Amino acid sequence: MNETSEDPGAPAPGSRRPGGRTARTRTAVRDAVLTGLAEHGYPALTVEYVAEHSGVHKTTLYRRWGGVEGMVADALDLAGEDGWTPPDTGSLAGDLRALAREVVEGFRDPAQAAAPTAFVGAAFQSPRAADALRSFYAERFRRCEEVVTRAVDRGEAPAATDAGAVVRAVSAPLFLRLFVTREPVDGSVADQAADAALAAVTAGAFVRRNQEAAQTSAPGASVGAPASGS
């Protein structure tokens, strides 16, 4: 184990990280946390394990991250800093199917799914991990909202469609099968989830109700009257 990897000046999780040794230390710790979660799960992950597999002295780990909870939270924080962007197939139907299939593919391979599955498990046992997981998915969903924004611009969705609700509706039935009922998922299940969300969008199920009410109560509008251009 490398005793020289201490970095007492490293910033706390959630702040802007500089490059150099601080970034390398953080990446080494993240990789060790992912390996530990995949191999043993959150309950068995220890500071000693991360120190051994990252080459970072456990004194630094305690000072920098405070313990296992902090390291798991920071690993999720780091994962959320990637350059992932949502698909752009040219249609809302294609984009929603591509998003759903990404979820399925990410959990189909047991080796690939081990770490993210462990993160979900950790969120049930650690408030800090739960907060970090919530933030991670909030950022993912925020990026995915572009899919719906483009659809609105193309006229494929109502102008007041709640983009965040749409992208959550695509992944929700998949996560139900993956983590609650433990049912198998495949491409056909992914397409079904995407198509159901698309049908709901087309029917106006995701229109923000406060905006809908404002439109129907505007001068000259009548209750039940079709929107302009319909």
Side-chain angles (χ1 to χ4, degrees):
M1 185 169 60
N2 184 359
E3 298 287 334
T4 65
S5 296
E6 295 194 25
D7 194 0
S15 59
R16 185 174 296 277
R17 285 88 175 176
R21 189 176 67 173
T22 296
R24 291 193 298 271
T25 297
R26 186 178 177 226
T27 299
V29 170
R30 185 276 312 272
D31 291 345
V33 167
L34 291 177
T35 300
L37 286 174
E39 291 182 353
H40 306 294
Y42 178 77
L45 184 64
T46 64
V47 173
E48 287 74 18
Y49 176 96
V50 176
E52 179 181 352
H53 288 77
S54 67
V56 179
H57 197 278
K58 65 180 182 180
T59 302
T60 299
L61 298 178
Y62 278 114
R63 179 168 56 241
R64 166 72 173 85
W65 286 273
V68 169
E69 276 193 311
M71 288 185 286
V72 170
D74 195 44
L76 270 167
D77 195 18
L78 185 59
E81 295 176 7
D82 64 7
W84 181 87
T85 57
D88 186 0
T89 66
S91 72
L92 181 59
D95 289 348
L96 295 182
R97 282 196 170 201
L99 283 173
R101 283 179 173 263
E102 275 198 41
V103 173
V104 169
E105 290 302 321
F107 287 95
R108 176 175 289 177
D109 178 11
Q112 184 180 353
T117 300
F119 275 130
V120 174
F124 282 95
Q125 302 171 68
S126 161
R128 287 192 66 183
D131 288 343
L133 188 68
R134 189 179 305 113
S135 296
F136 172 82
Y137 276 109
E139 172 61 18
R140 273 292 191 270
F141 290 138
R142 185 195 64 76
R143 298 184 200 181
C144 289
E145 289 180 9
E146 179 183 344
V147 164
V148 182
T149 301
R150 292 194 301 254
V152 171
D153 292 341
R154 290 191 297 257
E156 296 177 288
T161 298
D162 186 336
V166 174
V167 296
R168 284 170 171 79
V170 174
S171 57
L174 303 176
F175 283 122
L176 172 70
R177 287 173 176 259
L178 288 164
F179 296 110
V180 179
T181 62
R182 306 296 292 175
E183 297 174 78
V185 293
D186 56 19
S188 63
V189 173
D191 290 347
Q192 182 185 62
D195 292 348
L198 178 64
V201 170
T202 303
F206 293 110
V207 171
R208 294 183 180 88
R209 296 307 166 192
N210 58 335
Q211 295 196 26
E212 184 182 66
Q215 291 170 358
T216 57
S217 62
S222 59
V223 176
S228 175
S230 61

